[in-house]
Amino acid sequence: QVQLVESGGGLVQPGGSLRLSCAVSGSGFSRFDLGWFRGPGREFVGQIVTRGYTYYSSSVRGRFTISRDDAENTVYLQMNSLNPEDTGIYYCNTIPTRSEWGKGTLVTVSS
């Protein structure tokens, strides 16, 4: 089984930056792509494939960067130029096969 633990959220001012982490436990970390999602509908934010290529939604492209550290079984979401519309609970999950959702980490962008 795969367990997902998000961390790194907090309160940040508009224009600020934040780095989220997703620790992935269980088997086969490198067998899956990893994605980031946010909000009640778990809107797609972006993903990183096993080869390291990344894909982003149009709303975050150019501002967010996803990376992964296979040695640490961790995927990161570097968020820059944050705006209030980025506020929400952020989740990570495996792609294409979903694992049990973690609790997420709350990001609040406000002045």
Side-chain angles (χ1 to χ4, degrees), residues 20-44:
L20 308 183
S21 299
C22 172
V24 183
S25 63
S27 62
F29 173 80
S30 62
R31 300 204 314 267
F32 300 101
D33 298 339
L34 276 300
W36 284 96
F37 309 82
R38 69 185 180 186
R42 292 179 171 85
E43 170 197 5
F44 174 77

Side-chain angles (χ1 to χ4, degrees), residues 14-85:
S17 298
L18 207 60
R19 189 194 193 200
L20 308 183
S21 299
C22 172
V24 183
S25 63
S27 62
F29 173 80
S30 62
R31 300 204 314 267
F32 300 101
D33 298 339
L34 276 300
W36 284 96
F37 309 82
R38 69 185 180 186
R42 292 179 171 85
E43 170 197 5
F44 174 77
V45 174
Q47 69 180 86
I48 185 166
V49 304
T50 54
R51 292 180 296 173
Y53 295 106
T54 53
Y55 303 90
Y56 304 94
S57 70
S58 60
S59 62
V60 308
R61 190 176 300 115
R63 300 187 297 119
F64 291 10
T65 302
I66 300 173
S67 60
R68 65 192 294 167
D69 186 336
D70 290 346
E72 296 291 334
N73 286 359
T74 302
V75 62
Y76 304 96
L77 180 65
Q78 177 66 49
M79 305 183 294
N80 300 323
S81 301
L82 286 163
N83 57 63
E85 290 72 29

